[in-house]
């Protein structure tokens, strides 16, 4: 049995992994796939890939592209979710902010530097025509930290996946001002170079199992109910989310990577662009 460590956010996108592990679909291939939830998100997962704490990460596209450009010894082996991520832009429900323009030059809560919550703050600033150089950040680690930071006035707004954050909106803790979709596929699968060099066939087998799972995930009996209960979501919200979410099994294409790198470079999130082969590995 080959032990492989994998990480991802504890969100509905990753339920296919949990179900495949519970159903022993990896162990049938001789793979002991050990999943760890990382509520801190992409910045933490990049750090774990670098240190060897994990072999694989299901991770936000913009975050891992940035980190590979900056030296992360990993490659993107395929797209995992090809549709955009809808980032809700949230403020404390009792705040005096009611429009996006109210947030110009205000402080964003982020899970950590290099995370999607930080990078998408730059994308949003660009969309709004704000001076991105004036963005301010407060590191809050996770969604619970964001609740406290916004309530206590340590930060003014927080960008996080719309549907996972909606229960806080429904409870009157957050108010969502708008959405900011990623201009690229939201999740990819990244693998440390060391594993790719030593065990490429193991990686291929892992991808085959998860791609088979995501291919029929929407058709699992009572999947809306399972998702609703596990992630504390309303059934109608889960149905909406499922209708706009598409998983993928294809490699990241060169044209899309160029688009991502160009936008990250234009936003001054990365200081240089690197070759396709330095970021993507086709198996």
């Amino acid at each position: 049995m080959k032990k492989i460590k994998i990480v991802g956010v504890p969100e509905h996108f990753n339920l296919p992994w949990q179900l495949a592990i519970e159903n022993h679909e990896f162990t049938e291939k001789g793979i002991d796939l050990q999943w760890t939830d990382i509520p801190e998100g992409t910045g933490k997962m990049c750090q774990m890939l670098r240190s060897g704490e994990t072999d694989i990460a299901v991770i936000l596209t913009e975050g891992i592209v940035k980190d590979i450009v900056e030296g992360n010894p990993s490659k993107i082996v395929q797209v995992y979710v090809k549709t955009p991520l809808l980032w809700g832009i949230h403020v404390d429900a009792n705040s005096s902010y009611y429009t996006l323009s109210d947030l110009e030059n205000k402080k964003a809560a982020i899970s950590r530097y290099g995370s999607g919550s930080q990078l998408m703050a730059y994308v949003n600033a660009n969309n709004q025509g704000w001076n991105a150089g004036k963005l301010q950040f407060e590191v809050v680690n996770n969604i619970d930290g964001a609740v406290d930071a916004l309530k206590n006035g340590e930060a003014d707004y927080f960008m996080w996946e719309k549907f996972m954050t909606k229960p806080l909106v429904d409870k009157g803790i957050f108010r969502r001002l708008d959405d900011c979709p990623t201009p690229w596929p939201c999740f990819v699968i990244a693998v440390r170079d060391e594993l790719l060099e030593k065990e490429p066939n193991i990686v291929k087998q892992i991808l085959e199992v998860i791609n088979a799972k995501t291919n029929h995930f929407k058709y699992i009996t009572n999947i809306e109910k399972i998702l609703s209960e596990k992630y504390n979501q309303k059934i109608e919200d889960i149905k909406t989310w499922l209708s706009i979410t598409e998983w993928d099994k294809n490699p990241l294409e060169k044209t899309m990577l160029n688009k991502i790198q160009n936008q990250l470079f234009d936003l001054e999130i990365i200081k240089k662009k690197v070759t396709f082969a330095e970021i993507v590995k086709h198996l």
Side-chain angles (χ1 to χ4, degrees):
M1 195 72 73
K2 182 71 180 176
K3 184 171 119 179
I4 302 291
K5 293 173 288 184
I6 182 169
V7 294
V9 289
E11 296 181 4
H12 36 18
F13 297 97
N14 287 325
L15 186 60
W17 291 97
Q18 307 293 344
L19 295 180
I21 291 168
E22 288 168 15
N23 294 339
H24 308 292
E25 291 168 43
F26 296 103
T27 53
E28 286 171 6
K29 303 275 188 182
I31 301 165
D32 176 15
L33 192 68
Q34 301 193 340
W35 178 278
T36 303
D37 281 332
I38 307 297
E40 299 94 333
T42 295
K44 173 69 172 176
M45 289 191 278
C46 286
Q47 178 188 319
M48 294 176 77
L49 283 169
R50 282 177 177 260
S51 67
E53 289 175 79
T54 190
D55 304 301
I56 303 174
V58 184
I59 194 164
L60 289 175
T61 307
E62 61 272 20
I64 190 60
V65 168
K66 174 184 185 290
D67 214 54
I68 292 174
V69 169
E70 293 174 352
N72 191 315
S74 305
K75 299 285 185 293
I76 294 171
V77 293
Q78 73 160 68
V79 175
Y80 176 61
V81 177
K82 67 180 178 181
T83 42
L85 191 70
L86 282 181
W87 289 82
I89 304 167
H90 305 88
V91 297
D92 184 82
N94 296 316
S95 78
S96 58
Y97 307 127
Y98 288 92
T99 66
L100 280 188
S101 59
D102 293 337
L103 300 179
E104 186 172 6
N105 301 327
K106 298 297 188 293
K107 187 179 285 188
I110 60 172
S111 55
R112 62 178 54 213
Y113 287 101
S115 68
S117 50
Q118 183 196 22
L119 303 190
M120 286 303 295
Y122 282 100
V123 172
N124 179 58
N126 183 62
N127 290 348
Q128 301 306 315
W130 300 345
N131 180 352
K134 291 188 176 180
L135 283 173
Q136 305 172 64
F137 302 107
E138 178 75 19
V139 176
V140 298
N141 295 314
N142 53 38
I143 199 163
D144 292 332
V147 170
D148 292 339
L150 266 56
K151 183 179 179 181
N152 299 331
E154 293 158 3
D156 301 295
Y157 66 102
F158 180 57
M159 296 180 66
W160 206 252
E161 200 275 332
K162 171 182 177 175
F163 292 94
M164 289 302 294
T165 320
K166 192 169 184 294
L168 293 173
V169 175
D170 292 340
K171 289 175 186 172
I173 295 169
F174 280 168
R175 187 168 64 249
R176 189 176 70 248
L177 302 189
D178 209 336
D179 298 330
C180 182
T182 58
W184 40 66
C186 59
F187 284 105
V188 294
I189 300 172
V191 182
R192 275 177 57 82
D193 292 339
E194 185 180 3
L195 183 62
L196 284 170
E197 288 158 14
K198 289 181 179 175
E199 303 282 3
N201 288 329
I202 294 282
V203 177
K204 278 185 190 176
Q205 286 181 306
I206 290 170
L207 297 181
E208 284 169 9
V209 170
I210 195 59
N211 290 335
K213 201 72 182 175
T214 58
N215 191 45
H216 73 275
F217 178 70
K218 292 186 183 185
Y219 308 106
I220 294 172
T221 305
N222 294 325
I223 191 60
E224 293 97 341
K225 187 170 183 286
I226 294 167
L227 284 160
S228 171
E229 290 175 356
K230 185 171 178 63
Y231 298 102
N232 188 31
Q233 303 272 307
K234 294 178 179 176
I235 287 279
E236 58 265 32
D237 291 334
I238 286 294
K239 286 181 177 177
T240 301
W241 174 76
L242 281 170
S243 73
I244 62 172
T245 301
E246 292 182 44
W247 285 265
D248 201 3
K249 61 181 181 180
N250 294 308
L252 185 65
E253 295 178 353
K254 196 169 190 176
T255 51
M256 180 55 72
L257 179 63
N258 288 342
K259 176 183 176 180
I260 295 164
Q261 281 206 91
N262 287 340
Q263 187 148 359
L264 294 180
F265 184 80
D266 291 344
L267 293 171
E268 300 182 359
I269 292 170
I270 56 175
K271 305 240 178 338
K272 64 177 181 177
K273 291 181 267 189
V274 302
T275 66
F276 183 73
E278 289 175 85
I279 296 179
V280 175
K281 174 78 173 176
H282 288 179
L283 293 173

